Amino acid sequence: CEITHLECIGETCAEIEGVGPDQCSINLDCEEESFEVITVKTSLDDTTYTYHEPLISGDYVVYAEQSPRQIHVRNIKEGTSVIVPTSSHYSSAGGSPSYSIHGDLLSWKRYRVNGDPVDFGGLVIYNLTSGEQNQIIYNWDLSENRPTHSIYEEKVVYELNHDLYLYDLSTESNQKMSFSDNIDAYWPVVSEKGIAFMQLHEVPSEGRAIFFYDFNSQNVVQVSDYDYYLNPQDIDGDYVVWTQDEPVSGNGVVYIANLVTGEKYFTPNDDWRINPYDVKIDGNNVVWWVSNYPSGPKDMYKHDILTGITGQIFPEENDQKQPFISGKRIVWQEFRNGHVDIMGFLPASSIPG
């Protein structure tokens, strides 16, 4: 069961006689449509500039440039690229941009430039299709460098001074979420059903936990246990995912929680040197990358919630990081021959001939 970049297999490797699921790369469900791995952007095009943190929505791939600092939008089907206006002012944590994507909309966070007495930065919405841009929140406190907002359709949730706010693009209304009045809430992500966020324990040494606010019931439920080594989450449909140290072994694992049934489990990891990062979910597919301590390879993995199968996406000698998944499409950062590329696993029909 030797899988290359351009090949797929059936629903599971277990269907092939004598082959176990741990011997195969994970199926990306592309048997109905031809997919290809392509280079979306290579740093060889622009000397030593570094490209990172890719996102994808339809035919649009968004990625950040570290020097000069700016946000790029590439239309894969048309083979065209634009730079988001004024994105040289994007706010970042350790060089990583604070932005979020859903459908045709990209939200990104501007910071105050050079002590400007009028423009204190804020939250900006960019339309990938039309190129229109609109700043919806002004004078936002940008002193904190962690990602603090998320977009889903017409809803944008953001954090200000450890309170959560919900901005509705259709009505241009902005409201503080009442449940955040008496808690320290941060790192929110929004979906059709509600908002997942982190909350600090009243005793800081006890760590933090993930909670979920349901739009329909207006109830808040605790999703994870409190843990000092719990890391940011993602949400889609009925599932919330995050990374955390497994309580018995202490190894880093990916947790998956079903918000309807309350079921919670984690992907196995019996090696303390392997740590997962940047977990993302879309539908039944969960992706992340792992770092092999102290200087081993960085590889991408995928977990199928329906089949329970976990495996490496593309076995490569090159380091692969920061995967982002949308439907059957995946983009990621890859270190190739001494430079950094943005790669994509995309339908052949969306790639210009």
Side-chain angles (χ1 to χ4, degrees):
C1 184
E2 195 171 311
I3 309 304
T4 70
H5 281 176
L6 307 182
E7 296 176 333
C8 296
I9 57 175
E11 186 62 27
T12 71
C13 288
E15 295 176 352
I16 303 176
E17 184 176 354
V19 175
D22 58 341
Q23 297 173 271
C24 301
S25 299
I26 285 300
N27 169 40
L28 292 172
D29 300 327
C30 55
E31 59 273 81
E32 296 178 358
E33 185 175 12
S34 175
F35 275 59
E36 296 182 14
V37 170
I38 70 165
T39 301
V40 177
K41 181 67 176 179
T42 176
S43 58
L44 286 182
D45 294 346
D46 296 277
T47 63
T48 59
Y49 296 164
T50 300
Y51 305 102
H52 56 121
E53 304 289 340
L55 311 176
I56 186 169
S57 179
D59 292 327
Y60 294 98
V61 176
V62 176
Y63 57 93
E65 184 175 0
Q66 184 169 316
S67 177
R69 179 181 291 188
Q70 51 196 7
I71 300 172
H72 295 256
V73 177
R74 183 164 181 81
N75 187 318
I76 296 299
K77 196 164 189 175
E78 297 181 2
T80 58
S81 296
V82 298
I83 295 173
V84 176
T86 70
S87 61
S88 60
H89 305 321
Y90 76 70
S91 181
S92 66
S96 299
S98 176
Y99 54 20
S100 177
I101 194 170
H102 189 268
D104 289 340
L105 300 179
L106 173 76
S107 62
W108 63 278
K109 178 176 166 183
R110 292 189 66 230
Y111 66 89
R112 184 181 181 185
V113 182
N114 298 328
D116 191 309
V118 178
D119 186 357
F120 284 80
L123 187 58
V124 181
I125 304 298
Y126 177 82
N127 190 300
L128 300 172
T129 302
S130 68
E132 295 179 359
Q133 182 158 269
N134 180 36
Q135 186 163 333
I136 61 171
I137 303 297
Y138 290 83
N139 300 331
W140 192 11
D141 179 7
L142 300 181
S143 61
E144 300 174 76
N145 284 328
R146 58 174 169 263
T148 55
H149 65 97
S150 172
I151 187 170
Y152 184 90
E153 294 182 346
E154 301 295 324
K155 296 182 176 67
V156 183
V157 61
Y158 65 97
E159 171 206 346
L160 176 61
N161 297 325
H162 300 300
D163 289 322
L164 298 186
Y165 291 77
L166 183 65
Y167 188 96
D168 190 313
L169 295 172
S170 62
T171 62
E172 299 184 353
S173 61
N174 189 36
Q175 63 170 324
K176 180 181 177 182
M177 307 303 292
S178 59
F179 66 83
S180 69
D181 282 341
N182 301 314
I183 62 175
D184 282 342
Y186 56 102
W187 261 314
V189 286
V190 63
S191 71
E192 178 183 11
K193 297 188 175 182
I195 302 169
F197 59 95
M198 285 192 184
Q199 177 183 336
L200 288 173
H201 194 279
E202 58 184 13
V203 179
S205 61
E206 295 295 319
R208 53 204 180 197
I210 293 173
F211 289 77
F212 175 71
Y213 170 77
D214 189 301
F215 285 138
N216 290 328
S217 69
Q218 299 185 10
N219 291 329
V220 176
V221 296
Q222 185 171 342
V223 178
S224 76
D225 297 329
Y226 280 98
D227 192 300
Y228 187 79
Y229 296 103
L230 183 146
N231 290 300
Q233 72 286 347
D234 195 17
I235 185 173
D236 190 57
D238 295 331
Y239 293 95
V240 175
V241 296
W242 68 94
T243 60
Q244 185 177 353
D245 286 355
E246 194 270 316
V248 176
S249 67
N251 299 335
V253 296
V254 173
Y255 272 86
I256 297 105
N258 187 313
L259 296 170
V260 176
T261 66
E263 178 188 6
K264 179 175 64 178
Y265 67 97
F266 58 86
T267 58
N269 175 20
D270 57 4
D271 191 339
W272 66 271
R273 295 168 298 181
I274 297 178
N275 292 295
Y277 297 94
D278 295 336
V279 59
K280 301 294 182 184
I281 182 173
D282 190 77
N284 297 308
N285 296 315
V286 184
V287 296
W288 65 93
W289 66 277
V290 300
S291 175
N292 293 266
Y293 179 85
S295 58
K298 297 172 176 61
D299 302 312
M300 299 188 304
Y301 283 80
K302 172 179 172 289
H303 173 78
D304 188 316
I305 293 175
L306 292 181
T307 65
I309 297 176
T310 302
Q312 192 173 345
I313 300 177
F314 298 119
E316 273 277 3
E317 293 183 359
N318 301 322
D319 282 349
Q320 302 168 324
K321 298 170 57 178
Q322 302 170 350
F324 187 92
I325 187 168
S326 176
K328 301 175 183 179
R329 305 166 187 231
I330 300 177
V331 289
W332 67 95
Q333 180 195 64
E334 186 165 320
F335 294 81
R336 302 163 62 87
N337 302 318
H339 56 90
V340 178
D341 291 346
I342 299 298
M343 306 295 294
F345 182 75
L346 305 169
S349 60
S350 70
I351 302 171

